[in-house]
Amino acid sequence: REDVVEINAHGGPAPLNAILQEALRHGVRLARPGEFTLRAFLNGRIDLVQAEAVIDQIRARTRAGLQAANAAASGALSKAIYAVRDMLREALAHIEAAVDFPEEDLPDLVNEALFARLRDAHRQIRELMDTADAGRLVREGAVAVIAGRPNVGKSSLFNALLRDARAIVSAQPGTTRDRLEEYITIAGVPVRLIDTAGIRDSGDEVERIGVEIARQALDSANLALLVLDATQPPAPEEAQLAGELCDREIPVVLVINKMDCAATAPENPWPQTPFAAVCAVSATKGSGIKELETAIAEMLLGGAGIDAAQPMITRQHQKDSLRRAEESLQRLFDAVGASPEFLALELRDALAALGEITGETTPEDILDAIFANFCIGK
């Protein structure tokens, strides 16, 4: 919604840079990060949800992430927010009429029908809040760390999940010294898979550093895969590691590897340990990998799945705004029978919270933080 001049030029970086320098010499300045999108927002062409969707489209790592960003850019989430906002505005108009014209011969404006509409709005807010975890996973992804003692097949499992020979695999214990990272997609969620050094006490200084790096990776993990060797009895340090992982309050999947070489069926050696799932695999043969991916998806999404085309909350500030709107409505319900002025106050707070999501009432510092994450040229 502003007049624009666009210059198209032939050639490579040198002539393009010369044109840019000439423009700068005549008073043009370089755009700030996200300035084009910011101007579209400030000029009313798009709302804040659609503006944030621009950067999500650029950064999407999976098809589900791109679908969610496209849905937000097309206004799916905005329409859901506006629908709730309109219900609250209508209710507020009735309540304010009851406040402003108490002596007029008006029908009862604050009645059960009004509260029924407010309960419907409250339900819709809660439904949107319920999408926040899946939305965050689609946008930000998850971190899954492969852990275990040396030579249990962690790197083989890493390669099997990647469908690529990314990590060096050797029969010699302690081959992996540093952390290896790659992204995979599981149930539409980008998962940063981290292969770590085998965790054990070691006199080798480099290996000790690798073990410390492995423990640091677990500090940021959303999920841990504890790998055991099905051909070997579990060692005491493995029981200690299993307890340590489960104490971290993240889902832990016990992966019993090398089943192609095992003589007996796999068993969980620590049935009292609260593993989220137990999976038997052969990383080198590929058997059981699909079942492991299903278990990981269950841990991340709780079996709910992702419908990226539906309105979805993808950011913490959106969830926080919805939470405050929901709390305002709950206080209103708890105060049924109170003065209309109090009810109107709670409705205004709820509307202000919803307006932060679409940009109608968003504080300037939040806007600055949002657009600072954009790249130059957007």
Side-chain angles (χ1 to χ4, degrees), residues 144-148 154 157-158 161 184 186 193-194 196 218 221 223-228 241 245 250-255 292 295-296 299:
V145 174
I146 302 174
K154 298 186 300 300
L157 179 63
F158 182 76
L161 287 167
I184 60 175
I186 295 180
L193 188 65
I194 302 179
T196 62
L218 287 165
L223 176 77
L225 305 178
L226 175 59
V227 185
L228 297 186
L241 178 58
L245 292 177
I250 60 173
V252 180
V253 179
L254 179 63
V255 183
L292 174 59
I296 293 174
M299 299 308 103

Side-chain angles (χ1 to χ4, degrees), residues 2 29-42 371 374-378:
E2 295 182 11
R29 68 165 174 83
L30 295 176
R32 291 185 289 269
E35 185 168 1
F36 290 102
T37 307
L38 174 61
R39 290 191 180 199
F41 165 68
L42 294 176
F371 287 97
F374 278 65
C375 56
I376 300 294
K378 289 295 177 184

Side-chain angles (χ1 to χ4, degrees), residues 53 61-62 66 69 100 102 120 129 131 140 148 162 166 194 206 209 250 256-257 275 284 305 310 315 327 361:
R61 290 183 174 273
T62 66
L66 182 58
D100 294 339
D120 188 27
M129 291 176 65
T131 68
E140 300 178 7
L162 289 178
R166 174 69 174 79
I194 302 179
V206 176
I209 294 173
I250 60 173
I256 304 177
N257 190 27
F275 293 116
T284 57
Q310 295 301 311
R315 283 175 163 76
E327 289 175 350
T361 58

Side-chain angles (χ1 to χ4, degrees), residues 133-164:
D133 289 341
R136 179 187 57 80
L137 283 171
V138 167
R139 190 176 72 86
E140 300 178 7
V143 178
V145 174
I146 302 174
R149 65 182 176 88
N151 215 33
V152 294
K154 298 186 300 300
S155 294
S156 295
L157 179 63
F158 182 76
N159 290 340
L161 287 167
L162 289 178
R163 272 68 169 181
D164 188 19

Side-chain angles (χ1 to χ4, degrees), residues 197-243:
I199 298 178
R200 66 172 177 178
D201 293 330
S202 174
D204 184 283
E205 182 180 359
V206 176
E207 189 172 355
R208 284 203 308 270
I209 294 173
V211 171
E212 180 59 30
I213 291 174
R215 294 189 184 279
Q216 291 173 358
L218 287 165
D219 290 338
S220 61
N222 304 103
L223 176 77
L225 305 178
L226 175 59
V227 185
L228 297 186
D229 184 342
T231 66
Q232 301 290 329
E237 59 266 27
E238 288 180 305
Q240 180 181 348
L241 178 58

Side-chain angles (χ1 to χ4, degrees), residues 167-191:
I168 296 174
V169 176
S170 170
Q172 178 181 346
T175 302
T176 302
R177 300 296 185 95
D178 205 348
R179 56 192 271 175
L180 295 176
E181 301 184 12
E182 290 287 353
Y183 272 93
I184 60 175
T185 301
I186 295 180
V189 176
V191 177

